[in-house]
């Protein structure tokens, strides 16, 4: 059993509430109000900026040239994803200045700063456990929603077909994100180094549970934005 | 004009929404539901623990023995306040194990981790600006609510009289907290060192505004806990 | 076997070279040139200032109120030791302004900033392992040199007798410092939580070895100051 | 006058001692013993690894996507320089495993960890001022030594001609490093934002002076390696 599976197992209810959240279900069914999705996209931009900082923090925290190089590549991947995201939001009618001027909402601040603080105060394993609900969870959600693309006449080329949020689903169920998620799962085991004491596992469970709860709040924040 | 006044002036709406929040008004009128106050006390415990960490961070960030010593004393004051808080919550019927086991809610995580990250990523002035809505704002709120104590037959000895939340009001309007708030205002000006560029002032305004917004969310979180 | 004994065992040569350094032997024999001791005292002042910062860092890095409180007390102990040190140096004819104006030398910067960076990049166990050669090593050196006090007519009251460096030996062989050293040994085992993977032990050995090497350099720096 | 010129002016003696150090003069004259140069190369490898961490720290400390992206690019440039360095050292007969196994010496630890701590405890301007003696100083040294290449029959193509250390001189006097140095000078002025208080300038001067002193120690360490 991988460390990720152990953590997921210990936080089963929170994980379920996160990966099967009403936001996710509605997005998959194409029934998510556009205003909700737009609010999500704006906050997700701020999220990505802070996640780039979190990956830079991992590079700072590395002990070897190989680990610095890997964390640097991960930061580059986030920056590239942010560029993609900027093009996507522009297509959805949110101009970049509006995006950058939008205030970070509470759930955005809570999750991103929690990750950064857990990673700074703890070690690089704490940091990656705090990032896991995002890195690994989004791939799980993508895989879960991918069949919905076919229902909308997706042509199997990853283009998203006629699904209103097909591009989003295609990105997170695509081969690149799936491979990144698998690598993240393996990295947790490498960092755990073949064994953890009970106390250490409790600490990491606490970090994983809090981060997962904050992901739930992040979905909910978007739903609440149109109330 | 002190730096604090400048910041407050630039964030007038947020400051008003924070210091005159419905939670504050109801608390002053003795009309705040007890369940709301208890929820607040539980979260405020977690808040104080993270604020002790933030003051320890200020000690780490100091350049001189005098500054380390001052930040160490401030950490000690927070730890003492936390002990008082633990006695208060026990009297309000919340046993310590329950307090420590309670999960940190979203607004608690958001404000505390924002302060810690702003302080770590920025310099010691960013840190103190992020702390200001708490350190200085609570004294302002305490002074604003103090007259309410008399209405409840407060006897002027700071004991809180018959007001249901008299002890809370007495603490934050008392001479010790008032002096600490004045010292915090002065320290901001010392740290600003006689001048700030426009860009720096914009950065600090951004930190102050975000921290104030997160304080509003902290009051609201308690009100929402009984919905 | 405690973690400390394991680390000492793995770095036997460096530990010997540090705790039985020519500086230590000459100090014990009362044969250390006064100019060397004075140079050491000046640099040790800067050392203590940075060590107070390192203990504040431990408080920032703590996960529980109990750990924050313990680290806060440790910072307070260092600040108190620094005050003692300031009185000692003044008696040895080094006025405080001269002390504070003296530049930090290379070995002082190397050891103190190594500890701070190892602690920030790693976790709180890395930090305490980096501090161990100082915290625990000085007590070992004190115990080793204590018999020298008797030779100089020490009266057993810890006053240092007629030994030129008796006050220094008395401090580091005294009950307070000895107890602090024992507590530090126990804390390492508590933090290691009953077990470490081989890779983790290798990382910690690397930190311990480097810190011990930098302690050797610190003694040598004082000896070299009169060349 | 740029901030860099101001700092250089305030630390004129240290800057001269660093950029005109015996190591530099001997290297330029082709008279540096090969064993000294090899010792320098080994330590410079460790130096670059820590400098990559310092640039990752700058990315973590950034407030905007543009600043994160710029710091990320700078980290990438250091990692690329490290790869070049690894090829260079292999050509000079130092196999990579030997390089990685070599202990970091005192002056290497002192400079690199000083930069990392100054940057973590201060803000991003402190970090860049601490990096300046390296980033900008090496370009100044390269420009000063470039004429020596011609004396050795350099053919103007930047290849280093017959000079024993021509490749090193060519790299640091080349257009890429020169441009990076100019960008670093400009960035200091951007970060200073059009003005600094006297106290802030004193703090930065202290950081710049210490970093420059530690660069002097770094040259000296290589010279001393063959004593």
């Amino acid at each position: 059993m991988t460390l990720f599976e152990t953590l997921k197992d210990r936080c089963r209810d929170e994980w379920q509430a996160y990966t099967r959240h009403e936001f996710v279900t509605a997005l998959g069914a194409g029934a998510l109000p556009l205003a909700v999705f737009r609010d999500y996209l704006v906050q997700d931009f701020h999220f990505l900026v802070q996640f780039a900082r979190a990956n830079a923090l991992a590079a700072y925290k590395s002990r070897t040239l190989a680990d610095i190089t890997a964390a640097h590549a991960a930061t580059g991947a986030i920056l590239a994803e942010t560029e993609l995201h900027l093009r996507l939001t522009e297509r959805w009618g949110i101009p970049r200045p509006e995006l950058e001027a939008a205030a970070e909402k509470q759930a955005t601040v809570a999750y991103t700063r929690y990750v950064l603080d857990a990673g700074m105060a703890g070690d690089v394993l704490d940091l990656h456990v705090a990032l896991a609900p995002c890195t690994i969870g989004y791939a799980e959600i993508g895989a879960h929603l991918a069949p919905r693309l076919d229902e909308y006449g997706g042509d199997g080329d990853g283009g998203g077909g006629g699904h209103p949020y097909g591009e989003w689903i295609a990105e997170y169920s695509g081969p690149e994100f799936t491979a990144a998620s698998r690598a993240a799962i393996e990295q947790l085991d490498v960092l755990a180094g073949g064994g953890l004491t009970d106390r250490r596992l409790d600490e990491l469970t606490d970090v994983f549970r809090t981060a997962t709860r904050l992901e739930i709040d992040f979905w909910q924040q978007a739903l609440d934005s149109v109330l």
Side-chain angles (χ1 to χ4, degrees), chain A:
Chain A
M1 194 144 122
T2 64
L3 173 55
F4 172 67
E5 284 169 324
T6 302
L7 293 169
K8 208 168 91 167
D9 202 55
R10 285 173 148 229
C11 308
R12 189 167 295 280
D13 290 350
E14 289 88 352
W15 192 259
Q16 188 73 9
Y18 161 44
T19 56
R20 298 293 184 267
H21 194 275
E22 185 188 340
F23 179 100
V24 174
T25 313
L27 186 149
L32 193 71
L34 182 56
V36 169
F37 191 65
R38 282 176 52 120
D39 184 80
Y40 161 78
L41 286 180
V42 170
Q43 293 304 309
D44 200 39
F45 166 72
H46 289 305
F47 192 93
L48 286 168
V49 171
Q50 300 303 322
F51 261 49
R53 289 184 59 220
N55 280 278
L57 178 58
Y60 159 77
K61 289 221 145 199
S62 299
R63 293 172 204 258
T64 66
L65 183 57
D67 287 351
I68 298 169
T69 306
H72 178 258
T75 311
I78 300 280
L79 291 173
E81 191 183 338
T82 309
E83 285 307 315
L84 266 169
H85 193 273
L86 282 165
R87 285 201 293 279
L88 192 65
T89 45
E90 223 153 299
R91 273 229 305 287
W92 281 100
I94 311 166
R96 182 159 178 168
E98 184 189 322
L99 201 63
E100 292 183 332
E104 284 184 85
K105 290 185 173 184
Q106 188 187 162
T108 316
V109 174
Y111 187 18
T112 55
R113 300 322 193 277
Y114 178 77
V115 167
L116 286 159
D117 179 56
M120 187 61 92
D123 66 7
V124 81
L125 179 54
D126 290 281
L127 178 57
H128 283 287
V129 165
L131 291 166
C134 175
T135 329
I136 307 174
Y138 265 53
E140 200 172 304
I141 290 166
H144 176 63
L145 297 185
R148 297 306 190 118
L149 289 181
D150 301 328
E151 298 166 19
Y152 272 83
D155 49 11
D157 68 350
H163 193 294
Y165 304 116
E167 201 162 0
W168 191 93
I169 298 174
E171 184 182 347
Y172 292 114
S173 60
E176 215 169 313
F177 204 87
T178 305
S181 165
R182 273 193 203 130
I185 290 172
E186 278 166 33
Q187 190 183 18
L188 289 181
D189 285 325
V190 170
L191 288 169
L196 292 171
T197 62
D198 287 352
R199 205 189 53 180
R200 185 71 180 120
L201 186 56
D202 284 347
E203 284 175 359
L204 295 173
T205 303
D206 196 44
V207 171
F208 187 79
R209 190 187 315 276
T210 304
T212 304
R213 281 200 296 108
L214 296 168
E215 284 277 21
I216 298 169
D217 292 339
F218 196 75
W219 294 139
Q220 193 60 43
Q221 170 174 272
L223 290 184
D224 291 349
S225 69
V226 295
L227 293 186

Short mmCIF file of all heavy atoms in Angstrom, two decimals, chain A residues 104-116 214 217:
data_model
loop_
_atom_site.label_atom_id
_atom_site.label_comp_id
_atom_site.label_asym_id
_atom_site.label_seq_id
_atom_site.Cartn_x
_atom_site.Cartn_y
_atom_site.Cartn_z
N GLU A 104 -8.15 37.56 -3.81
CA GLU A 104 -8.14 36.15 -3.42
C GLU A 104 -9.22 35.97 -2.36
O GLU A 104 -9.23 36.67 -1.35
CB GLU A 104 -6.81 35.78 -2.78
CG GLU A 104 -5.67 35.58 -3.74
CD GLU A 104 -4.43 35.12 -3.00
OE1 GLU A 104 -4.28 33.91 -2.77
OE2 GLU A 104 -3.60 35.98 -2.62
N LYS A 105 -10.11 35.00 -2.57
CA LYS A 105 -11.15 34.75 -1.59
C LYS A 105 -10.63 33.87 -0.45
O LYS A 105 -9.55 33.27 -0.54
CB LYS A 105 -12.35 34.10 -2.27
CG LYS A 105 -13.11 35.03 -3.21
CD LYS A 105 -14.34 34.29 -3.70
CE LYS A 105 -15.26 35.19 -4.52
NZ LYS A 105 -16.47 34.41 -4.86
N GLN A 106 -11.46 33.77 0.57
CA GLN A 106 -11.06 33.08 1.80
C GLN A 106 -10.55 31.65 1.59
O GLN A 106 -9.50 31.28 2.11
CB GLN A 106 -12.28 33.05 2.75
CG GLN A 106 -11.95 32.54 4.12
CD GLN A 106 -13.21 32.37 4.99
OE1 GLN A 106 -13.18 31.69 5.98
NE2 GLN A 106 -14.30 33.01 4.63
N ALA A 107 -11.30 30.85 0.83
CA ALA A 107 -10.90 29.44 0.67
C ALA A 107 -9.60 29.32 -0.12
O ALA A 107 -8.83 28.39 0.08
CB ALA A 107 -12.02 28.65 0.00
N THR A 108 -9.37 30.28 -1.01
CA THR A 108 -8.15 30.31 -1.80
C THR A 108 -6.96 30.60 -0.90
O THR A 108 -5.92 29.92 -0.94
CB THR A 108 -8.25 31.39 -2.90
OG1 THR A 108 -9.52 31.31 -3.51
CG2 THR A 108 -7.14 31.24 -3.92
N VAL A 109 -7.12 31.64 -0.08
CA VAL A 109 -6.06 31.98 0.88
C VAL A 109 -5.82 30.80 1.82
O VAL A 109 -4.67 30.41 2.07
CB VAL A 109 -6.43 33.23 1.70
CG1 VAL A 109 -5.40 33.49 2.80
CG2 VAL A 109 -6.54 34.47 0.80
N ALA A 110 -6.92 30.23 2.34
CA ALA A 110 -6.78 29.18 3.35
C ALA A 110 -5.97 27.99 2.82
O ALA A 110 -5.00 27.56 3.45
CB ALA A 110 -8.16 28.71 3.82
N TYR A 111 -6.34 27.47 1.66
CA TYR A 111 -5.64 26.29 1.15
C TYR A 111 -4.19 26.61 0.77
O TYR A 111 -3.26 25.92 1.18
CB TYR A 111 -6.40 25.70 -0.04
CG TYR A 111 -5.82 24.37 -0.52
CD1 TYR A 111 -4.97 23.60 0.29
CD2 TYR A 111 -6.12 23.86 -1.78
CE1 TYR A 111 -4.47 22.39 -0.14
CE2 TYR A 111 -5.62 22.64 -2.21
CZ TYR A 111 -4.78 21.92 -1.39
OH TYR A 111 -4.27 20.71 -1.82
N THR A 112 -4.01 27.67 -0.01
CA THR A 112 -2.65 27.93 -0.51
C THR A 112 -1.69 28.28 0.62
O THR A 112 -0.57 27.75 0.68
CB THR A 112 -2.65 29.09 -1.53
OG1 THR A 112 -3.25 30.26 -0.92
CG2 THR A 112 -3.43 28.73 -2.77
N ARG A 113 -2.10 29.12 1.57
CA ARG A 113 -1.18 29.51 2.63
C ARG A 113 -0.97 28.37 3.61
O ARG A 113 0.10 28.26 4.23
CB ARG A 113 -1.66 30.77 3.34
CG ARG A 113 -1.81 32.00 2.45
CD ARG A 113 -0.73 32.16 1.41
NE ARG A 113 -0.74 33.47 0.79
CZ ARG A 113 -1.55 33.83 -0.22
NH1 ARG A 113 -2.42 32.99 -0.74
NH2 ARG A 113 -1.46 35.07 -0.72
N TYR A 114 -1.99 27.50 3.76
CA TYR A 114 -1.80 26.33 4.60
C TYR A 114 -0.69 25.44 4.03
O TYR A 114 0.20 24.98 4.77
CB TYR A 114 -3.10 25.51 4.73
CG TYR A 114 -2.89 24.28 5.55
CD1 TYR A 114 -2.80 24.36 6.94
CD2 TYR A 114 -2.71 23.03 4.96
CE1 TYR A 114 -2.56 23.24 7.71
CE2 TYR A 114 -2.47 21.90 5.72
CZ TYR A 114 -2.39 22.01 7.10
OH TYR A 114 -2.13 20.90 7.86
N VAL A 115 -0.75 25.20 2.74
CA VAL A 115 0.28 24.38 2.08
C VAL A 115 1.66 25.01 2.27
O VAL A 115 2.63 24.33 2.65
CB VAL A 115 -0.02 24.24 0.57
CG1 VAL A 115 1.18 23.68 -0.18
CG2 VAL A 115 -1.25 23.37 0.35
N LEU A 116 1.76 26.31 2.02
CA LEU A 116 3.06 26.98 2.13
C LEU A 116 3.59 26.93 3.55
O LEU A 116 4.79 26.71 3.78
CB LEU A 116 2.94 28.44 1.65
CG LEU A 116 2.82 28.59 0.13
CD1 LEU A 116 2.20 29.95 -0.24
CD2 LEU A 116 4.18 28.43 -0.55
N LEU A 214 -9.74 21.69 2.94
CA LEU A 214 -9.65 23.01 2.33
C LEU A 214 -9.95 22.94 0.83
O LEU A 214 -10.42 23.93 0.25
CB LEU A 214 -8.27 23.62 2.61
CG LEU A 214 -8.02 23.89 4.11
CD1 LEU A 214 -6.55 24.21 4.37
CD2 LEU A 214 -8.91 25.01 4.64
N ASP A 217 -13.68 23.11 0.67
CA ASP A 217 -14.08 24.52 0.83
C ASP A 217 -13.87 25.30 -0.47
O ASP A 217 -14.61 26.24 -0.75
CB ASP A 217 -13.24 25.19 1.94
CG ASP A 217 -13.57 24.64 3.32
OD1 ASP A 217 -14.67 24.07 3.50
OD2 ASP A 217 -12.73 24.78 4.23
#
